[in-house]
Amino acid sequence: MSTHLTERPFGRALCAMVTPFGPDGELDLDAAAKLAAGLVAEGCDGLVLNGTTGESPTTSDAEKEALIRAVREAVGPGPALVAGVGTADTRHTVELARQAEAAGADGVLVIPPYYSKPPQAAVEAHFLRVADATGLPVMLYDIPGRTATRIEPETMIRLAEHPRIVAVKDCAYDLLGTTKVLARTGLAYYSGCEELNLPLYAVGGSGYVSTVANVAPRPLRAVLDAYDRGETAEAARLNALNLPLAELMMASGLPGAVTVKALLGMTLREPLQPAGREATDGLRAAYEDLVQSYT
């Protein structure tokens, strides 16, 4: 049986949920409620709302709040709802965190301020301000490829001393640094990169926050289930089955929101544009192959 170094404050299998829009581009709360309920029914322990996959740069604060409330009502009190509240402005991030708490979120996902490239002391101060602003647990989001700023391991270790900073969504591609932080803190590490779901889990991670889970929640969860049963070879086999779709969805040059919505037939907001026919056909073929492999 697997042994993990940390608790799982939000469960193991989290989906970074897309935000449905109607044909006119307006927020479709009915579709969001239906999608959220379906994802939970298919094995997602929790949902991350208003993240980049949810096209948060193009949704208003009011839309973010309405989405949390609609999904909370749809899924009930059990599944964890983590709200993305990251912005480049500390004050605005604090406002969004307080809004998310009032709307019924169970936690907040916070990135380092992007573009301005603050030094580590400023990054640390930013996270502490947000953590002090509400009673919600905080998941730090380390994704320097998007923000241009790393949360360095030593900064993580210091931040872990705050009682409400409990988890990390890890997209830093630094398994050595991650393992060091796991060894020295109680932070729950969630993979934010599908190809690292199993490797991170094997060194003590808590699970994943997945964009691919919008369309393949059960195959992704099956990998963790096999590992927890002690069936490591089976976990590796199932993981390999998932990778072709994950690669097309996350490493083909298209944003995850675009590839998910190509498979779900959903509307995007500009500046994102729909996937072309060739890309969409490839995604559908990979998805059908994955479904076939599990039947």
Side-chain angles (χ1 to χ4, degrees), residues 31-53:
K34 183 177 180 181
L35 175 61
L39 289 169
V40 169
E42 288 295 307
C44 292
D45 298 322
L47 306 170
V48 174
L49 307 175
N50 298 324
T52 308
T53 298

Side-chain angles (χ1 to χ4, degrees), residues 76-216:
L81 296 186
V82 180
V85 299
T87 75
D89 176 357
T90 301
R91 290 180 300 176
H92 190 197
T93 302
V94 165
E95 290 169 3
L96 288 177
R98 289 172 174 160
Q99 174 182 281
E101 183 176 38
D106 299 300
V108 291
L109 176 68
V110 191
I111 59 172
Y114 48 83
Y115 192 79
S116 57
K117 300 178 72 173
Q120 288 297 294
V123 170
E124 185 174 348
H126 173 82
F127 286 129
L128 292 174
R129 282 265 286 120
V130 178
D132 286 339
T134 78
L136 294 178
V138 174
M139 178 185 288
L140 308 177
Y141 191 1
D142 193 13
I143 183 166
R146 292 286 187 96
T147 64
T149 301
R150 177 79 193 277
I151 311 173
E152 296 293 344
E154 291 301 322
T155 304
M156 289 282 195
I157 291 166
R158 289 192 298 272
L159 287 167
E161 297 176 3
H162 194 289
R164 283 187 295 281
I165 296 178
V166 300
V168 178
K169 181 181 178 184
D170 186 10
C171 288
Y173 289 95
D174 177 14
L175 198 57
L176 176 60
T178 292
T179 305
K180 288 179 178 179
V181 177
L182 279 169
R184 294 176 59 184
T185 75
L187 289 173
Y189 262 76
Y190 290 85
S191 170
C193 310
E194 276 76 8
E195 68 272 29
L196 294 181
N197 286 359
L198 180 56
L200 180 56
Y201 201 62
V203 297
S206 294
Y208 55 75
V209 177
S210 170
T211 294
V212 175
N214 280 278
V215 297

Side-chain angles (χ1 to χ4, degrees), residues 47-78:
L47 306 170
V48 174
L49 307 175
N50 298 324
T52 308
T53 298
E55 296 175 77
S56 59
T58 63
T59 57
S60 68
D61 291 1
E63 287 175 321
K64 290 176 172 66
E65 179 180 11
L67 181 65
I68 297 168
R69 292 186 183 277
V71 171
R72 179 86 284 166
E73 182 177 357
V75 303

